[in-house]
Amino acid sequence: MILKDGIELYHASYKVVEKIDLSLCADGKDFGKGFYVTTDYNQACRFLRSAIGKALKNHVENVDKNTGYISVFEYKNAADLNYYEFLTSDENWLHCIVSHRKRGMLSDEIKKWQDYDIIAGKIANDSTNQVLTAYMNGLYGLPGSKEADKSAIRLLLPEKLLNQICFRTEKAIERLQFKSYKTVRVEY
């Protein structure tokens, strides 16, 4: 289980995030709309270029393209949360990501995840985007078919992927306590 009481979690952004506002979170992410963190500090640092790039693309004011921030949170466990963790990068994980990334694709699948406060599992990162795009475009066969699933999962090298945790509801966000932040110089 990724989430344990007292664990430190990291969020990469173009700004320090002390107070989480779910209304600012974008749709179309791997585990749905929500606030994403990881247990791996280095992974958060690698994500900074992407976070800064999106802010610049969206014309967010006062963004320094060479400075990012890792906000550090502590998780307080709660039994009343509806939590799901993908233990492996299997077809359920793949279908969850595809259904959230591409509206209308595997539409019955998205209903399975709508009631979860938190979803955790492997991250589909920049190195996996090509495979996911090819999968969604049917290059491995019909998305959702055993043939397409098997081909995509083999190419994703799931054993090498790190984790991500999506806090999807206010009830889940209440379990995150801001601790500190680190300023990180971003090199291009």
Side-chain angles (χ1 to χ4, degrees), residues 24 62 72 108 121 129 133 149 152 155-156:
L24 298 176
N62 302 318
V72 182
D108 288 342
N129 281 334
T133 300
D149 291 352
L155 292 168
L156 288 169

Side-chain angles (χ1 to χ4, degrees), residues 63-157:
V63 177
D64 178 350
K65 73 174 188 168
N66 297 107
T67 305
Y69 301 92
I70 304 296
S71 298
V72 182
F73 295 88
E74 182 178 337
Y75 174 72
K76 296 294 182 191
N77 198 10
D80 64 332
L81 292 176
N82 198 2
Y83 173 79
Y84 188 87
E85 180 176 331
F86 291 98
L87 300 178
T88 63
S89 300
D90 59 11
E91 63 276 350
N92 289 322
W93 170 84
L94 179 63
H95 293 174
C96 177
I97 289 172
V98 168
S99 67
H100 283 105
R101 282 194 177 190
K102 190 167 183 177
R103 188 174 298 266
M105 182 167 274
L106 304 176
S107 55
D108 288 342
E109 187 71 22
I110 204 160
K111 294 173 190 168
K112 288 172 41 178
W113 311 109
Q114 66 189 10
D115 294 329
Y116 286 99
D117 298 302
I118 301 171
I119 299 177
K122 301 287 187 177
I123 187 169
N125 59 21
D126 289 343
S127 66
T128 62
N129 281 334
Q130 289 179 319
V131 174
L132 289 169
T133 300
Y135 176 87
M136 290 186 286
N137 289 328
L139 294 177
Y140 308 127
L142 181 67
S145 70
K146 288 186 187 280
E147 172 191 332
D149 291 352
K150 186 177 177 181
S151 295
I153 291 167
R154 181 179 46 78
L155 292 168
L156 288 169
L157 301 172

Side-chain angles (χ1 to χ4, degrees), residues 41 45 48 52 66-70 182-186:
Y41 177 80
C45 288
L48 282 172
I52 292 168
N66 297 107
T67 305
Y69 301 92
I70 304 296
K182 298 179 193 293
T183 304
V184 178
R185 185 90 177 132
V186 178

Side-chain angles (χ1 to χ4, degrees), residues 163-174:
N163 67 52
Q164 63 182 338
I165 304 136
C166 177
F167 287 75
R168 299 162 44 103
T169 64
E170 290 297 332
K171 188 172 156 184
I173 294 299
E174 291 171 4

Side-chain angles (χ1 to χ4, degrees), residues 41-58:
Y41 177 80
N42 291 323
Q43 176 179 296
C45 288
R46 286 189 298 274
F47 187 73
L48 282 172
R49 280 191 296 192
S50 177
I52 292 168
K54 287 177 187 173
L56 291 169
K57 181 181 173 188
N58 292 321

